[in-house]
Amino acid sequence: GKPVYTEDIAPEDCLVVKALRSPHAHAIVKRVQTKTAAGVPGIVCIITSEDVPQKRFTIAGQTYPELSPYDRLILDPHIRYVGDPVALVAGTDVAAVDRALRMIRVEYEVLKPLLDVRDARDNTVIVHSEEDWKPLVNVGGDNKRNIVAQSGEDWGDVEGELDRAEIVIDRTYHTKQVQQSMMETFRSYSYLDAYGRLVVVSSTQVPFHIRRIVATALDIPKSQVRVIKPRIGGGFGAKQSAVMEVYPSFITKLTGRPAMMIYSREESMTVSSPRHEAYVHIKLGADRDGMIRVISLESLWNAGAYGDHSPTTVTLSGHKSIPLYNQYKAFRFNYEALYTNTIAAGAYRGYGAPQGIFALESAVNELAAELHMDPVTLRLKNILHQGEKMPAYFNETALSCHLEQCLLRVRDMIGWDRKYPRQVLSNGHIRSVGLSLAMQGSSIS
């Protein structure tokens, strides 16, 4: 109970900051009436899109230059998902701010939303039509076509190997968006130090990235921002994005006063940073003896309203799955991440690899069933071994890999030979066992 968290060390005189959010998935804010709300006792300021810097940024906590496009403003009159902020209200107490939020009136031009990622490419509904959409790195994005990132590669004769394969598994797997629920919701407070420097105290996983993101959004030098990270009550990847640090920071810079924003559980679930929805199309070509000749994996990623982490997570759906089976003669990995008018996705435990691994491992198990072969036996024939070069992982060499020993150990520990594929219990219930592989790196370059 001794470690302190962000809210525990916040000054008592912090302004309370909350956001007024859009009920529409796609709209243009025509007018925001704040005069009545601004007269509520205790309200210090109400901020709309007219008051913020017109400089785009990304909230993805990534090494600079970020691969994610600069597609956000602190407040944008173009609303892109239900929950997008329309205004910020800062006041001396929660009651005053809540009252003011209820008194703001917004006039919207409601637009047709784009909600299904399968329809997103080249749709007539354009999520990001702005001319100042700004990628720092070319990842194949094109905002006028709703494309955040796209690329692909063929290694070997993919189509030829599929034709020569004695059996082909052709499946599409759909993983839905998944939200994370750390015990400590998103929260941050800010103040100006004795030298006028902005100090941001945040429950974050990426303090140095927060520094750059806040400086970019506020259009001030990084040297004018300091970030402090206390103990955090869970992150899981969601706090690898600057989900809300920019908002109190802007209020402090504007007013000169300490400001704090704390997301409710509802906000943490609906306007933060979930795992990406994905459609993963797998083709496996194999011989009757169980040797996998070719792997084709095509990922379609639902980026949501903004491109946070999409260009990087989508690549790992193939780079962290295909190399598990390194005895192939050819592979294909194509991917694209597309904008829709849904909550923007981000980083979450595995960073894009789980979606691809789920799909490929499901297909391998279906291949085993088709071959009437034990899934352990099938995997032992095809898995990566130490010292092998991995064409599907940037031609890196697996310098440390004991996957075969791991697989055999798990087989013994679970009693696989006795339990697979199932046991019928005395009460008629069925107990079964399953198996899948995964790979993950243990360092950041």
Side-chain angles (χ1 to χ4, degrees):
K2 290 182 179 179
V4 292
Y5 297 81
T6 300
E7 189 179 2
D8 297 326
I9 55 178
E12 292 185 2
D13 61 344
C14 273
L15 295 176
V16 175
V17 181
K18 292 192 177 188
L20 178 71
R21 301 186 180 278
S22 167
H24 306 293
H26 199 198
I28 301 295
V29 176
K30 306 299 289 184
R31 185 169 55 170
V32 184
Q33 295 179 319
T34 62
K35 185 176 180 180
T36 304
V40 172
I43 295 302
V44 174
C45 63
I46 299 177
I47 304 302
T48 68
S49 62
E50 297 176 354
D51 306 310
V52 301
Q54 299 301 298
K55 185 174 181 182
R56 296 200 178 267
F57 60 97
T58 177
I59 64 169
Q62 299 175 318
T63 302
Y64 183 86
E66 303 99 328
L67 296 176
S68 300
Y70 281 24
D71 57 7
R72 287 183 181 261
L73 295 174
I74 298 174
L75 295 171
D76 195 326
H78 189 161
I79 297 302
R80 295 182 173 88
Y81 76 103
V82 172
D84 228 356
V86 176
L88 297 175
V89 178
T92 55
D93 62 86
V94 172
V97 171
D98 285 343
R99 184 182 176 196
L101 284 169
R102 292 193 297 269
M103 299 174 74
I104 297 174
R105 296 294 177 262
V106 184
E107 180 184 337
Y108 297 96
E109 177 189 346
V110 180
L111 306 174
K112 178 183 177 182
L114 172 57
L115 302 176
D116 191 329
V117 68
R118 293 169 294 181
D119 302 328
R121 176 190 276 268
D122 297 323
N123 198 292
T124 54
V125 176
I126 301 174
V127 179
H128 282 271
S129 58
E130 66 270 18
E131 296 300 326
D132 58 346
W133 183 84
K134 182 182 177 183
L136 272 61
V137 179
N138 181 11
V139 292
D142 185 342
N143 61 312
K144 299 302 176 64
R145 301 179 63 197
N146 288 324
I147 301 172
V148 179
Q150 64 174 347
S151 189
E153 64 174 314
D154 278 20
W155 183 87
D157 181 8
V158 176
E159 294 302 330
E161 291 299 336
L162 284 169
D163 289 340
R164 286 186 286 273
E166 295 176 302
I167 185 168
V168 174
I169 298 294
D170 187 340
R171 304 283 192 274
T172 297
Y173 302 91
H174 178 209
T175 66
K176 294 189 177 183
Q177 193 179 76
V178 181
Q179 185 57 287
Q180 40 208 321
S181 186
M182 68 293 295
M183 291 181 72
E184 182 192 29
T185 63
F186 299 89
R187 57 197 59 206
S188 176
Y189 71 87
S190 53
Y191 61 92
L192 299 179
D193 69 10
Y195 305 99
R197 181 173 52 177
L198 178 67
V199 180
V200 182
V201 183
S202 174
S203 177
T204 179
Q205 297 171 242
V206 286
F208 288 96
H209 295 321
I210 295 295
R211 178 177 183 241
R212 181 183 66 252
I213 292 166
V214 168
T216 302
L218 271 57
D219 201 13
I220 59 178
K222 282 195 302 181
S223 60
Q224 293 301 303
V225 181
R226 179 189 179 202
V227 175
I228 298 172
K229 184 200 78 67
R231 183 69 64 88
I232 72 171
F236 315 137
K239 292 177 182 176
Q240 194 181 326
S241 294
V243 168
M244 42 70 67
E245 286 84 351
V246 167
Y247 303 136
S249 297
F250 180 74
I251 296 297
T252 290
K253 197 66 179 173
L254 186 71
T255 65
R257 298 173 64 171
M260 180 164 65
M261 191 173 199
I262 297 177
Y263 270 19
S264 65
R265 178 59 64 191
E266 181 179 352
E267 286 177 302
S268 293
M269 296 296 286
T270 59
V271 294
S272 60
S273 186
R275 192 193 299 282
H276 291 79
E277 177 193 26
Y279 288 89
V280 184
H281 180 204
I282 300 283
K283 282 186 179 180
L284 290 181
D287 294 333
R288 286 289 173 186
D289 65 358
M291 291 305 300
I292 297 174
R293 302 180 65 97
V294 56
I295 300 173
S296 173
L297 188 152
E298 297 179 301
S299 280
L300 174 59
W301 233 237
N302 185 0
Y306 300 96
D308 318 328
H309 291 282
S310 289
T312 39
T313 53
V314 69
T315 64
L316 295 193
S317 64
H319 292 152
K320 290 289 182 70
S321 58
I322 299 173
L324 287 164
Y325 302 99
N326 206 51
Q327 313 309 315
Y328 48 72
K329 299 179 184 297
F331 78 84
R332 170 176 292 153
F333 176 38
N334 294 336
Y335 63 82
E336 59 181 352
L338 305 178
Y339 285 118
T340 63
N341 292 119
T342 61
I343 179 175
Y348 182 2
R349 294 307 295 258
Y351 203 76
Q355 293 96 314
I357 288 171
F358 163 73
L360 181 57
E361 288 300 283
S362 296
V364 169
N365 283 332
E366 293 192 52
L367 174 62
E370 191 77 18
L371 293 171
H372 304 289
M373 183 177 292
D374 187 301
V376 174
T377 303
L378 177 61
R379 285 176 167 84
L380 288 171
K381 285 174 173 281
N382 292 283
I383 56 174
L384 171 71
H385 297 93
Q386 185 164 302
E388 291 180 353
K389 184 176 285 189
M390 298 176 285
Y393 195 76
F394 315 106
N395 280 318
E396 292 280 354
T397 300
L399 298 177
S400 175
C401 177
H402 293 277
L403 185 54
E404 181 177 352
Q405 293 94 318
C406 181
L407 187 53
L408 292 172
R409 178 74 173 130
V410 166
R411 183 190 65 184
D412 294 341
M413 290 176 68
I414 202 171
W416 181 269
D417 293 338
R418 177 168 45 87
K419 296 177 181 176
Y420 178 80
R422 64 187 178 277
Q423 290 178 303
V424 181
L425 305 182
S426 57
N427 60 3
H429 291 183
I430 291 176
R431 178 173 294 158
S432 186
V433 289
L435 182 72
S436 67
L437 307 179
M439 62 178 283
Q440 182 60 289
S442 59
S443 66
I444 297 175
S445 61

